Amino acid sequence: MKPATVFSTVAVGAVTASVGLAGGPAFAEPDYPSWSDIEQAKQNEATKQAEIGRVTELLAGLQRAADAAVQASQMADEAYRITIDQRDRAAERERTLGRQADEADAVAQISKMRAGLLAAHLAKTAGNDLTAELMFSNDDATGLLQQLGMASKLGEQSQAVYDQAVADRNTADALRAQAAQAATERVRLATLAEAKAAEARTAANGALTAVAVQEQRSAELYAQLATLKDTTAELERERVEGAAREAAAAALQQQQAAASGGGGGSP
């Protein structure tokens, strides 16, 4: 079954997680401020500004953690899909080689029958010692020479048919061996795909958890930030998310510029 994939609502930027992600190292729970801390911080301008910076950084950390988890989920899902594609190609190769091997088996069987028939006919012809007849008979020497020539040609033809039969059998055996290798590879990739699917599901669950934590924690943090700045939670969310989008866009533009500049240099 294809694992679920979670997509972030903002561009995925720097991936420095501040909470534990599935499969990764555990991180300590950040020290979130209480409403009592917020009220006390408002009593002093310096303390208030410090608390604003602290809340803003906590919001950024939550976003980074969610983005990192989402990116991990996307990467795990991509690895799963790549493995599935490889497995399917191996299965198709197995079917194709098996079909070719069956066809080659039929050709090899016909070649074997032809070689057997010619060998039997040659043995029957050689049963009469034509050379001896030619040496001790004075009658119809021309006819005996013709028979000897025919037997020689028949022998050459039989050898050619035998060689072809051997070649056809070798081709069929080689195709059968390749089909067996493709089957082994298909089984290996099928097992790998199951492991990748489990990893993708774990990563997707981790992303869902990280996004849920972000939504739950950020709602209160935005409200606290609004209290500190005497605005509204909606306005503070717009400001923070807008700044995050601008930062992500600037980072992407910088990456594209670096890639464009690096690709045009001389080796």
Side-chain angles (χ1 to χ4, degrees):
M1 179 179 297
K2 185 177 185 299
T5 304
V6 179
F7 294 94
S8 177
T9 56
V10 298
V12 176
V15 287
T16 305
S18 61
V19 297
L21 300 179
F27 291 86
E29 177 77 5
D31 184 16
Y32 292 101
S34 66
W35 280 102
S36 176
D37 295 334
I38 299 299
E39 292 300 329
Q40 290 180 10
K42 291 183 66 176
Q43 305 306 314
N44 179 277
E45 184 63 25
T47 305
K48 182 176 75 172
Q49 292 302 319
E51 196 69 8
I52 288 173
R54 176 188 173 198
V55 171
T56 301
E57 179 53 35
L58 285 169
L59 284 165
L62 284 170
Q63 186 63 64
R64 289 194 298 267
D67 287 346
V70 168
Q71 186 180 59
S73 176
Q74 292 171 339
M75 291 173 65
D77 185 68
E78 179 66 13
Y80 165 77
R81 291 191 295 106
I82 289 174
T83 305
I84 287 294
D85 184 57
Q86 292 173 337
R87 181 207 62 186
D88 292 345
R89 287 202 302 269
E92 179 60 28
R93 176 173 170 78
E94 177 189 2
R95 287 190 294 269
T96 299
L97 287 169
R99 184 170 59 252
Q100 292 175 348
D102 290 340
E103 295 170 355
D105 276 335
V107 172
Q109 188 62 27
I110 293 173
S111 295
K112 178 182 177 181
M113 292 173 60
R114 289 181 59 200
L117 289 172
L118 280 172
H121 186 57
L122 178 61
K124 181 179 179 182
T125 303
N128 298 323
D129 192 345
L130 298 179
T131 303
E133 290 188 37
L134 180 61
M135 292 177 61
F136 298 107
S137 176
N138 294 323
D139 300 330
D140 198 11
T142 301
L144 287 173
L145 284 172
Q146 290 176 347
Q147 291 183 49
L148 184 59
M150 183 182 299
S152 177
K153 290 180 179 179
L154 188 59
E156 293 174 0
Q157 184 179 6
S158 179
Q159 182 63 43
V161 171
Y162 170 78
D163 291 342
Q164 184 62 51
V166 171
D168 290 341
R169 171 46 53 198
N170 289 340
T171 297
D173 291 344
L175 286 169
R176 191 67 65 191
Q178 291 177 41
Q181 291 176 353
T184 300
E185 180 67 2
R186 172 187 54 78
V187 172
R188 184 188 73 82
L189 288 169
T191 301
L192 181 60
E194 292 178 2
K196 293 295 183 182
E199 292 173 4
R201 284 192 293 270
T202 298
N205 290 335
L208 287 169
T209 299
V211 171
V213 169
Q214 180 207 13
E215 288 299 319
Q216 178 184 3
R217 288 291 189 179
S218 64
E220 184 175 29
L221 288 171
Y222 280 123
Q224 291 175 336
L225 188 61
T227 298
L228 288 167
K229 299 173 69 173
D230 293 324
T231 58
T232 64
E234 291 75 13
L235 178 60
E236 294 306 321
R237 181 184 292 271
E238 290 177 3
R239 286 176 177 173
V240 172
E241 291 184 352
R245 283 192 295 270
E246 290 177 2
L252 179 60
Q253 185 176 10
Q254 185 176 9
Q255 290 176 357
Q256 291 173 339
S260 176
S266 300

